[in-house]
Amino acid sequence: MKIKLILFTLFLLGAINAQKIQETYTIPATLYTYAQVKDSNNTTTWQYSSYAIGKQYDSYNKTTYAYRSAFLFDLRVLKTNWDIKNVLVKYYTDYKTGTFKLTKMTSISNTISTDWAAAGNSNSLKTGISYASTTTTFSDQSITNAVKNSIAATSLILGAVCEQDTVKDSFSSLSISIEVQIERDPSEIFYSVRNDLRGSEGGNVGLGE
């Protein structure tokens, strides 16, 4: 009887291990927003800003603000041996008309002019993303690949730039998070089964790390 129970337990755990575990991880971003500022004398300065994308014109001061941003995602929750099945991007903007693109930045230098330029000049991952004042979701293979390729480095940086940079009322806030859908081996999970084969306190049958 004891042998049968042990064999059944091992069979059950083996059957569980044969099934891949599917999970979804929601990862928010740390947002960095930058502004290129040109005054009436066409003098350019740089500053952090409250808007993330687009262009704004201050007619009173005759000053133009061009906004760009960087989104830093901490990927330490993900493991390099997991299979990344898909990545969903969730975002929303202000209630305006326009489109923006996402780029893959390599770093954040904390020099505003450098990071502002990098947000626009880095490799494009997704273009033509419409402004949306309600939470909108999309999936794109290039962004999924970018997440896969960034797990070992533990972070991913997405730059965001309005594609109507010459439109003076295109400025907007922007919020982005990602949902990473993964598949992993259940042998990474520790299973413990308690039984009464060794007296009143019972014994343990374990499987996993």
Side-chain angles (χ1 to χ4, degrees):
M1 182 62 184
K2 293 181 180 180
I3 294 176
K4 288 182 179 180
L5 183 57
I6 293 173
L7 289 176
F8 174 76
T9 301
L10 292 176
F11 171 79
L12 180 61
L13 294 178
I16 293 173
N17 255 357
Q19 302 295 320
K20 293 289 187 178
I21 293 179
Q22 295 179 341
E23 295 175 324
T24 298
Y25 291 83
T26 298
I27 303 176
T30 300
L31 173 61
Y32 299 82
T33 53
Y34 317 109
Q36 179 196 69
V37 185
K38 289 188 177 181
D39 62 19
S40 58
N41 297 317
N42 207 33
T43 300
T44 300
T45 56
W46 310 87
Q47 64 185 44
Y48 292 107
S49 68
S50 56
Y51 292 104
I53 51 176
K55 182 165 285 189
Q56 180 182 27
Y57 180 66
D58 180 350
S59 58
Y60 180 80
N61 294 309
K62 296 182 173 57
T63 301
T64 300
Y65 301 85
Y67 302 112
R68 296 178 178 180
S69 53
F71 294 80
L72 173 62
F73 296 91
D74 185 341
L75 303 182
R76 284 177 293 180
V77 69
L78 305 176
K79 309 303 180 186
T80 55
N81 62 323
W82 291 357
D83 186 7
I84 308 300
K85 307 302 290 186
N86 191 37
V87 175
L88 297 176
V89 178
K90 290 190 172 184
Y91 76 94
Y92 62 86
T93 66
D94 295 340
Y95 184 70
K96 290 190 173 185
T97 300
T99 61
F100 65 96
K101 70 176 181 177
L102 294 176
T103 63
K104 186 178 185 298
M105 298 172 60
T106 57
S107 64
I108 293 176
S109 70
N110 293 319
T111 299
I112 299 176
S113 58
T114 300
D115 295 334
W116 184 93
N121 298 334
S122 298
N123 292 334
S124 292
L125 295 177
K126 175 72 172 174
T127 61
I129 308 169
S130 297
Y131 283 24
S133 58
T134 58
T135 301
T136 302
T137 302
F138 70 86
S139 176
D140 188 87
Q141 189 60 46
S142 62
I143 293 179
T144 298
N145 290 341
V147 171
K148 288 181 182 179
N149 296 333
S150 300
I151 293 175
T154 72
S155 66
L156 170 68
I157 307 169
L158 297 180
V161 180
C162 175
E163 294 177 314
Q164 290 78 36
D165 257 353
T166 60
V167 179
K168 294 178 180 178
D169 63 348
S170 60
F171 63 96
S172 174
S173 61
L174 175 61
S175 175
I176 298 178
S177 64
I178 58 175
E179 285 191 357
V180 184
Q181 300 169 351
I182 69 100
E183 193 172 78
R184 63 190 178 97
D185 191 334
S187 64
E188 299 176 11
I189 297 177
F190 180 80
Y191 301 100
S192 183
V193 179
R194 189 168 183 82
N195 60 62
D196 285 321
L197 299 181
R198 294 184 180 177
S200 61
E201 292 302 317
N204 290 309
V205 178
L207 179 64
E209 295 179 344

